[in-house]
Amino acid sequence: MQVPFAKPHLTGREGALVAEVIASGWVSQGPKVRAFEEAFAARVGAAEAVATTSCTTALQLALYVMGVGPGDEVIVPSLSFIATANSVWQCGATPVFADIDPDTYNLDPDAAERAITERTKVIMPVHQVGLPADMDRFLDLGARYGIEIVEDAACAIGATYKGRQIGSMGPLACFSLHPRKVITTGEGGMITLNDPQVADRLRKLRAHAMDVSDLARHSAKDVVIESYPERGWNSRMTDMQAQLGLCQLESLDWILQRRRELAERYSAAITHIPSLEAPVEPDYAVRTWQSYCVRVNARLPIGRTDLMRRLLHDGIPTRRGVMTIHEEPAYADATVRLPHSEAAARDVIILPLFPDMTEEQQDYVLERVATHAVAQAA
Ligand SMILES: *Cc1c(COP(=O)(O)O)cnc(C)c1O
């Protein structure tokens, strides 16, 4: 059997609906992007949502409106996708890496507090693989030190923290719409926030900071001469992508439920394998199960990478767990030691999980995992 590692949930209706957008003649950012933003904001309980080309550009714009620039520091977990740190660098600022809580794999608020200096402008908690970070602690840190909080919520649409939706709480939260995340527009990102003035500025910054949108200009009754009060970027989503996003939002509840069912099925079996440890869901959080991360321990008879290799040989692709950014050559100048992050990057593997995975596929994965997890080293 060949099991896919990940696959977006598509219903087959999307093609015709995207074709309607193309037939309308308006394919760049326009009315569909606006409709998608409104639907997204409503879904996560935010007043505003601003669409972008990716979560990375969303983070970079979010940091920029928070005033992050050269000379500033932004505290981030190293155990994250490299885009978390790259967005800081794209603002000309320095990412400062802090360690994680070894149980949740999320930035540890105490470690973040120890990393604060006079230059710290923002703390960026990541809701890693869709498990909410301890937001009350971070919002409290921000208030006490006069530091802004920007959430990397790439994998967290639909997650909740103490009953509150991710995207509704912090000043700015940034989501990814890449196919590996919970819902997709092919490529895309979204910033959610509650301040309409900041939302307005973000909408301008993502379109070269032009003071009038294409949509407003096309519907104007008089000649409009635009102006550029500041410098900006091009981070516009297309209306074709937004139409796909609207379709995906309709499936979100089903996607989240399927992911949860499959994750619980995985955990029920993995709890019985002594060399493996199932992921946790703390009381305060409802996670999205964007990825299913398993930790191997010293009882595993083979190495972590050997386990991945044997599974691949069986037709089961896996991925290493979340990377550590400070251990990559791109960030060789960061000389920190982060023991919990380094251990997690070494000992975790991600098993296949996607909404349309069948129980037959999952049983096959579990059977092969169980076999290798107790087998003698070859
Ligand atoms: C995927 C991911 C990103 C980047 O998202 P893009 O939309 O591909 O730019 C950033 N941060 C985290 C934690 C991610 O998982």
Side-chain angles (χ1 to χ4, degrees), residues 54-56 59 80-81 83-84 126 128 152 154-155 176 178 181 188:
S54 69
C55 183
T56 310
L59 289 167
S80 187
F81 183 55
T84 302
V126 179
Q128 204 53 258
D152 181 342
C155 306
S176 174
H178 182 272
K181 312 303 162 122

Side-chain angles (χ1 to χ4, degrees), residues 71-77 94-99 107-125 136-149 336 338:
D72 294 331
E73 293 176 353
V74 176
I75 297 171
V76 296
T94 305
V96 173
F97 299 110
D99 214 350
L107 183 61
D108 172 5
D110 294 322
E113 183 167 12
R114 287 192 295 273
I116 292 172
T117 72
E118 268 150 38
R119 296 178 153 195
T120 308
K121 199 75 164 248
V122 167
I123 300 175
M124 194 194 284
D136 280 346
R137 296 281 316 277
F138 288 110
L139 291 169
D140 173 62
L141 271 185
R144 279 197 285 124
Y145 287 88
I147 293 170
E148 301 288 359
I149 305 296
V336 279
L338 304 167

Side-chain angles (χ1 to χ4, degrees), residues 312-373:
L312 186 63
H313 185 75
D314 292 336
I316 303 169
T318 58
R319 299 286 182 268
R320 65 159 166 173
V322 180
M323 62 187 290
T324 36
I325 304 170
H326 77 285
E327 293 187 291
E328 289 297 323
Y331 285 91
D333 56 344
T335 51
V336 279
R337 289 290 329 279
L338 304 167
H340 293 312
S341 303
E342 288 159 22
R346 220 171 31 236
D347 298 339
V348 171
I349 81 169
I350 304 179
L351 297 180
L353 179 67
F354 49 93
D356 295 294
M357 187 179 204
T358 64
E359 296 198 348
E360 190 191 7
Q361 287 172 321
Q362 191 178 34
D363 288 340
Y364 176 65
V365 173
L366 280 168
E367 184 265 315
R368 296 319 300 158
V369 167
T371 303
H372 298 311

Side-chain angles (χ1 to χ4, degrees), residues 26-157:
W26 196 310
V27 289
S28 63
Q29 180 182 282
K32 285 292 174 189
V33 169
R34 195 71 204 98
F36 182 40
E37 289 175 338
E38 278 169 14
F40 199 105
R43 181 59 177 78
V44 306
E48 297 275 354
V50 178
T52 61
T53 48
S54 69
C55 183
T56 310
T57 51
L59 289 167
Q60 186 256 315
L61 285 172
L63 291 172
Y64 186 78
V65 292
M66 288 302 197
V68 173
D72 294 331
E73 293 176 353
V74 176
I75 297 171
V76 296
S78 172
L79 191 87
S80 187
F81 183 55
I82 196 164
T84 302
N86 284 347
S87 67
V88 177
W89 165 75
Q90 285 159 4
C91 285
T94 305
V96 173
F97 299 110
D99 214 350
I100 52 159
D101 171 328
D103 293 327
T104 63
Y105 306 116
N106 276 327
L107 183 61
D108 172 5
D110 294 322
E113 183 167 12
R114 287 192 295 273
I116 292 172
T117 72
E118 268 150 38
R119 296 178 153 195
T120 308
K121 199 75 164 248
V122 167
I123 300 175
M124 194 194 284
V126 179
H127 307 303
Q128 204 53 258
V129 300
L131 171 58
D134 198 347
M135 279 305 287
D136 280 346
R137 296 281 316 277
F138 288 110
L139 291 169
D140 173 62
L141 271 185
R144 279 197 285 124
Y145 287 88
I147 293 170
E148 301 288 359
I149 305 296
V150 171
E151 295 160 73
D152 181 342
C155 306
I157 184 172

Side-chain angles (χ1 to χ4, degrees), residues 117-368:
T117 72
E118 268 150 38
R119 296 178 153 195
T120 308
K121 199 75 164 248
V122 167
I123 300 175
M124 194 194 284
V126 179
H127 307 303
Q128 204 53 258
V129 300
L131 171 58
D134 198 347
M135 279 305 287
D136 280 346
R137 296 281 316 277
F138 288 110
L139 291 169
D140 173 62
L141 271 185
R144 279 197 285 124
Y145 287 88
I147 293 170
E148 301 288 359
I149 305 296
V150 171
E151 295 160 73
D152 181 342
C155 306
I157 184 172
T160 64
Y161 172 79
K162 297 185 181 170
R164 289 173 279 163
Q165 299 261 6
I166 294 300
S168 68
M169 276 176 285
L172 292 168
C174 301
F175 296 84
S176 174
L177 296 159
H178 182 272
R180 263 286 276 134
K181 312 303 162 122
V182 180
I183 57 169
T184 185
T185 54
E187 292 281 355
M190 193 70 82
I191 308 169
T192 63
L193 67 165
N194 290 318
D195 184 331
Q197 276 171 320
V198 177
D200 184 58
R201 180 154 178 243
L202 283 166
R203 289 202 179 93
K204 291 190 170 89
L205 285 172
R206 73 165 170 202
H208 310 289
M210 191 161 68
D211 69 346
V212 49
S213 73
D214 287 339
L215 197 54
R217 187 152 49 168
H218 278 266
S219 48
K221 295 278 181 296
D222 194 5
V223 172
V224 177
I225 307 290
E226 82 285 7
S227 120
Y228 302 85
E230 62 178 324
R231 299 172 195 187
W233 288 267
N234 178 357
S235 313
R236 287 181 303 233
M237 181 180 276
T238 68
D239 262 25
M240 296 173 287
Q241 291 170 298
Q243 180 79 316
L244 178 54
L246 284 164
C247 297
Q248 289 272 291
L249 272 182
E250 282 177 24
S251 297
L252 177 59
D253 287 332
W254 182 83
I255 290 171
L256 290 167
Q257 187 199 326
R258 267 311 281 161
R259 286 190 168 279
R260 170 164 300 276
E261 284 163 7
L262 290 161
E264 284 172 359
R265 249 180 127 248
Y266 262 145
S267 292
I270 282 168
T271 317
H272 297 293
I273 305 175
S275 56
L276 301 180
E277 286 159 34
V280 300
E281 187 170 50
D283 288 343
Y284 61 75
V286 174
R287 47 191 299 175
T288 64
W289 296 106
Q290 179 269 339
S291 287
Y292 189 85
C293 299
V294 178
R295 196 170 191 127
V296 308
N297 63 32
R299 296 203 218 176
L300 190 74
I302 53 176
R304 190 254 336 232
T305 308
D306 280 331
L307 174 60
M308 294 174 68
R309 201 169 283 130
R310 288 186 188 192
L311 289 169
L312 186 63
H313 185 75
D314 292 336
I316 303 169
T318 58
R319 299 286 182 268
R320 65 159 166 173
V322 180
M323 62 187 290
T324 36
I325 304 170
H326 77 285
E327 293 187 291
E328 289 297 323
Y331 285 91
D333 56 344
T335 51
V336 279
R337 289 290 329 279
L338 304 167
H340 293 312
S341 303
E342 288 159 22
R346 220 171 31 236
D347 298 339
V348 171
I349 81 169
I350 304 179
L351 297 180
L353 179 67
F354 49 93
D356 295 294
M357 187 179 204
T358 64
E359 296 198 348
E360 190 191 7
Q361 287 172 321
Q362 191 178 34
D363 288 340
Y364 176 65
V365 173
L366 280 168
E367 184 265 315
R368 296 319 300 158

